[in-house]
Amino acid sequence: MARQGSGAMLPSGGLGFPPQNLARVVVWEWLNEHGRWRPYSAAVCHHIENVLKEDARGSVVLGQVDVQLAPYVIDLQSMHQFRQDTGTMRPVRRNFYDPSSAPGKGIVWEWENDNNSWTPYDMDICITIQNAYEKQHPWLDLSSLGFCYLIYFSSMSQMNRQTQRKRRLRRRMDLAYPLTMGSIPKSQSWPVGASTGTPCSCPQCLLVNSTRAASNAILASQRRKLYPGAVRQSSTFAGGALWPPGPAAGAGGTAKAEGLRVPGAGFAPGQSVPGAALTGLNNLNRPGTQRGAGLGARAAVPPGVPALPVKNLNGTGPVHPALAGMTGILMCAAGLPVCLTRAPKPILHPPPVSKSDIKPVPGVNGICRKTKKKQLKKSKTPEDVVRRYIQKVKNPPDEDCTICMERLVTSSGYEGVLSPRGIKPELVGKLGKCGHMYHLLCLLAMYNNGNKDGSLQCPTCKAIYGEKTGTQPPGKMEFHLIPHSLPGYTDSKTIRIVYDIPTGIQGPEHPNPGKKFTARGFPRHCYLPDNEKGRKVLKLLIVAWDRRLIFTIGTSNTTGESDTVVWNEIHHKTEFGSNLTGHGYPDPNYLDNVLAELLAQGVSEATLKD
């Protein structure tokens, strides 16, 4: 399809919070470990909205609408997604978009992965692509959104600007996302206090709140200097223009380009935005916005605005690096010139180490562990496993079974789906250690949907019964001591862990048995301080490795590639001499955090053998 016309430099209008009493499209999204909000499908969002109308503090069983999401439940009160078979919890949010945008029309943009299947783009990228497509731009540059890709609409392909590799992409029609009317609250990324209204005190929320206050003060000060008689604006950035409308160099006049370049972090399709319009605060959560935040900002700077340098991005000044960076983004979006220093490069590896300097870790036996293919236990049936950990309840209370969401005094919601011998749908059992009660049939369904390793995990309190194992493919784990120190641990040497997993064929416990899986980025190097707690963490990581809990096979949240080896909820430090990515040192809380993650997988100090 031939696409005519040249592109234009468009300022970002932001995906801020919608005004009251207007129709908006609702998209529910979950936060992955890389800080990216991934949208649920339209069908799942309709299901969540229906449950929300009935009980705003209830739970949503996602498996009722999508069988692939059978392990997942959303708790609407805490705004978290809970995976029943692993105990993993992730924040969710209810986000809003214009009805004329891609989700409102049921349009989904997808790219083809290495397994010849299709992966949808993030919602903000999907909206950006659709906006360019509707304006008949021949191509779209995604670098300003943090991705080094070019989209070519004539050939419907995506090209990596660094490797020149091309992939197919497609535009398909799906169910439109649900609409909502009336007064709409702000999208909730992290839960607040249940009844007191106390804001969340986690570091990320505190950082965002600090950024909001600092940037509001800076912009309000500049506005008072330029327009002393102007009416005071609201303290939020949800779509209001700070400067009076005027000719915008970026909105359709002087910029020359064959395709479309997006200088900000996102924009609302069909919305007319002045050249100096402010970006919504939602865009703070989007990774990669720093890379293109200042591309088109200076074209809309009002006369007389002084340059406001932000030179603390390397962490040497008194301002938190992330706070300085996000303040700079907001200033660029407002049309204020910002002087940014060059971002430092992460130090991923230590200086070269000779073989003679590599030593065994004191108190740890050996220097290498290998895992082989899983040997399935055939001695116990799923029914035997469930009966092992429960006690039958003759007179259950009139409460919900949190697996099927039916009352315990009625039959299980899995009646007719499963027909095991000896387990009637009305039977109720109580887990021995924690005392939580469920239908036996529901526990059996949860077990069959998991790893089937002879263990159970309570979906309410995450207590583990038996020895939990994972689906990590065969590989090798090495560990030794190197004569270098980590930032924050100058008095200690460093424990280096090297994981190496080759490509192979998926087994019966994996998502696609018999299909090839990839293993990107191996060998992977990780680091711990050589102190008492660091050696304890190493010993527990060895136990987790033996139980096949460190890695699993799934879809990469970074690349979108499916059937590949990914981390399995136990965080590692892969950055040796810096902490620019969040996966390095100094991090005074890391050792305690990883001990808690190991405990959640059933790996505690009690499991260590003398």
Side-chain angles (χ1 to χ4, degrees), residues 309-322 324 341:
V310 178
K311 297 186 178 181
N312 298 89
L313 298 183
N314 57 3
T316 57
V319 180
H320 192 287
T341 58

Side-chain angles (χ1 to χ4, degrees), residues 58 169 264 426 597 608:
L169 76 153
E426 64 272 12
E597 291 173 344
L608 296 178

Side-chain angles (χ1 to χ4, degrees), residues 2-13:
R3 307 187 67 84
Q4 303 297 326
S6 60
M9 299 290 288
L10 299 177
S12 64

Side-chain angles (χ1 to χ4, degrees), residues 1 21 59 62 80 87 105 122 139 154 159 167 176 214 225 249 262 345 360 367 377 399 469 494 513 537 584 591 599:
M1 177 177 61
N21 300 322
S59 299
L62 301 185
H80 274 78
K105 298 176 180 178
D122 292 353
W139 55 267
S154 58
M159 186 184 75
R167 296 178 184 270
K225 292 179 181 180
V262 185
K345 294 182 180 180
I367 59 171
K377 300 178 181 180
E399 299 175 354
T469 61
T494 298
V537 169
L591 296 179
L599 183 61

Side-chain angles (χ1 to χ4, degrees), residues 349 472-477 497-504 517-526 545 550-553 564-568 572 574:
H349 303 290
Q472 177 179 288
K476 181 172 65 174
M477 173 188 184
I497 305 172
V498 182
Y499 295 111
D500 196 7
I501 295 179
T503 58
F517 68 85
T518 59
R520 311 290 187 190
F522 287 94
R524 300 186 185 183
H525 293 225
C526 310
W545 172 266
I550 301 294
F551 296 96
T552 188
I553 295 177
T564 189
V565 180
V566 295
W567 293 105
N568 187 36
H572 286 64
T574 56

